[in-house]
């Protein structure tokens, strides 16, 4: 068995906080509409910060928390759909910035809001044949670059930020996960950064329904694989897109409210970064400790979805 254990977490948020009331009056939205329909109250937006700077800052904290040095890391994976460059990958810039070895793979993956969950499976698969014990997995996004600030149906939903984890091989455990994608490029999309009007476009209602179904489906699949029940899981960390999506998933799966982590009120949807940011907060607040079991669930553009069980 090649299981994985999370041995360090970190996060980085840009300096600028942007509240619901800060949107341009011409947008014709309100704090009341945004917070009641989504649960979002504020988010962070970059001013000068780049994707790789946020990713490196979060990764540095995760490595310090794990007490690992650069020599011990066997791969760097960054989940993002908003890299600074088309090439090189954010992961390669982080590699140089943190002085990581030059003989290990460093690359980005794009599975949108499911990117971090996809990254866990990629990392675990690579670890089976890797001689090193640790992989650095980052989720980092500058979503504000791809937002149309004249489109109230999307621009109020997102924020910028980065989270990172250090994963360690753990042969005493299995790795339970499920990934999926529906081959639907219309429901939620964003043209490449070099195209004119490269903004996020979304059929909110369709994505909402998909997200609830996907979250519930992933939970059932991982419980089936692992033989565990809801009671055995300490926390469920859903991708933070909308509080009502998470409430619905909790209701369908009969998950006690206190096990469903929520921080989207402060960060909004940071796409691939929502889950590692949440994990870092849970560790910092001592809500997750050595021995905790956490189920992470992602759903988003693609339409991709997935879930995994994490041991701490
Ligand atoms: O990571 C995955 C990414 N995205 C998501 O998961 C998002 C999934 N979808 C959602 O969260 C919700 O569908 C939204 C929050 C996007 C929309 O909520 P909703 O309750 O489904 O609202 P709606 O789209 O049905 O719109 C209702 C009304 C419309 O007005 P009319 O046609 O009823 O007059 C919209 O024009 O609300 C209007 N509206 C707004 N009003 C004020 C839409 N956005 C806004 C806004 N402020 N920001």
């Amino acid at each position: 068995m090649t299981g994985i254990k999370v041995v360090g977490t970190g996060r980085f948020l840009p300096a600028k906080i942007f509240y619901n009331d800060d949107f341009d009056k011409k947008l014709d939205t309100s704090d009341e509409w945004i917070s009641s329909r989504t649960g979002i109250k504020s988010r962070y937006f970059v001013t000068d910060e780049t994707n790789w700077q946020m990713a490196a800052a979060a990764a540095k904290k995760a490595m310090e928390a794990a007490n690992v040095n650069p020599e011990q890391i066997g791969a760097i994976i960054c989940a993002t759909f908003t890299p600074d460059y088309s090439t090189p990958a954010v992961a390669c810039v982080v590699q140089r910035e943190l002085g990581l070895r030059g003989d290990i793979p460093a690359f980005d993956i794009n599975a949108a809001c499911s990117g971090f969950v996809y990254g866990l499976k990629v990392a675990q698969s690579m670890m089976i044949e890797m001689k090193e014990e640790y992989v650095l997995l980052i989720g980092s996004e500058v979503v504000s670059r791809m937002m149309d600030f004249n489109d109230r149906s999307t621009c109020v939903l997102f924020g910028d930020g980065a989270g990172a984890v250090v994963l360690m091989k753990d042969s005493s455990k299995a790795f339970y996960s499920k990934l999926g994608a529906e081959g639907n490029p219309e429901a939620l999309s964003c043209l490449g950064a070099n195209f004119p009007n490269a903004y996020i476009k979304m059929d909110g209602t369709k994505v909402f329904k998909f997200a609830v179904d996907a979250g519930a489906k992933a939970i059932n699949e991982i419980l089936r694989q692992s033989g565990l029940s809801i009671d055995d899981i300490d926390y469920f960390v859903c991708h933070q897109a909308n509080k009502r999506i998470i409430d619905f998933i909790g209701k369908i799966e009969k998950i006690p409210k206190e096990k469903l982590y929520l921080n989207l009120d402060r960060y909004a949807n940071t796409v691939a970064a929502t889950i590692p940011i949440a994990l870092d907060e849970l560790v910092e607040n001592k809500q997750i400790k050595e021995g905790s079991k956490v189920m992470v669930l992602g759903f988003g553009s693609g339409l991709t979805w997935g879930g995994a069980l994490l041991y701490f």
Side-chain angles (χ1 to χ4, degrees), residues 51-52 55-56 75-80 83-84 88-98 100 104-109 136 138 140:
N51 188 322
W52 72 261
I76 314 151
I77 305 169
C78 182
T80 187
D84 303 298
V90 173
C92 296
V93 191
V94 171
Q95 181 179 28
R96 184 184 63 181
E97 184 68 9
L98 300 188
L100 301 180
I104 59 169
F107 58 96
D108 293 354
I109 57 171
L136 183 56
I138 306 163
S140 183

Side-chain angles (χ1 to χ4, degrees), residues 85-299:
Y85 309 97
S86 294
T87 188
V90 173
C92 296
V93 191
V94 171
Q95 181 179 28
R96 184 184 63 181
E97 184 68 9
L98 300 188
L100 301 180
R101 278 169 35 198
D103 62 345
I104 59 169
F107 58 96
D108 293 354
I109 57 171
N110 176 356
C113 302
S114 311
F116 183 80
V117 181
Y118 269 57
L120 289 169
K121 181 63 191 165
V122 173
Q124 183 265 343
S125 306
M126 291 178 74
M127 281 169 124
I128 294 169
E129 301 205 331
M130 188 182 279
K131 68 177 188 328
E132 294 85 357
E133 295 291 307
Y134 301 97
V135 167
L136 183 56
L137 174 61
I138 306 163
S140 183
E141 302 279 13
V142 183
V143 192
S144 57
R145 271 193 210 132
M146 316 309 279
M147 281 161 44
D148 178 354
F149 280 87
N150 296 311
D151 177 4
R152 67 178 183 174
S153 70
T154 54
C155 74
V156 300
L157 303 175
F158 298 93
D160 302 333
V165 295
V166 174
L167 303 169
M168 187 185 78
K169 262 188 215 176
D170 184 350
S171 54
S172 70
K173 294 185 175 65
F175 179 70
Y176 303 109
S177 72
K178 174 69 191 170
L179 303 180
E182 295 195 349
N184 177 342
E186 286 89 29
L188 174 48
S189 67
C190 181
L191 282 169
N194 294 334
F195 285 87
N197 299 318
Y199 298 131
I200 295 171
K201 295 190 171 54
M202 176 168 62
D203 179 338
T205 308
K206 193 172 266 178
V207 176
F208 191 104
K209 287 187 185 135
F210 155 77
V212 172
D213 290 347
K217 194 161 56 173
I219 292 172
N220 291 338
E221 174 60 22
I222 293 160
L223 293 180
R224 188 194 63 74
Q225 284 180 26
S226 62
L228 297 172
S229 70
I230 299 286
D231 288 347
D232 297 317
I233 312 294
D234 297 295
Y235 272 99
F236 292 81
V237 176
C238 293
H239 167 56
Q240 305 282 306
N242 187 322
K243 180 179 182 301
R244 291 190 295 130
I245 293 175
I246 299 174
D247 287 346
F248 270 115
I249 293 172
K251 207 168 155 198
I252 293 167
E253 294 298 318
K254 301 190 175 52
I255 301 171
K257 272 200 160 31
E258 59 278 10
K259 287 193 180 194
L260 284 163
Y261 193 67
L262 279 174
N263 64 9
L264 56 80
D265 54 326
R266 287 171 286 135
Y267 302 131
N269 180 349
T270 56
V271 185
T274 64
I275 294 173
I277 289 174
L279 294 176
D280 186 49
E281 287 194 334
L282 280 161
V283 169
E284 185 175 88
N285 300 336
K286 303 198 170 23
Q287 290 162 280
I288 292 179
K289 35 192 186 302
E290 180 85 28
S292 293
K293 291 196 247 342
V294 178
M295 198 183 290
V296 292
L297 300 149
F299 29 79

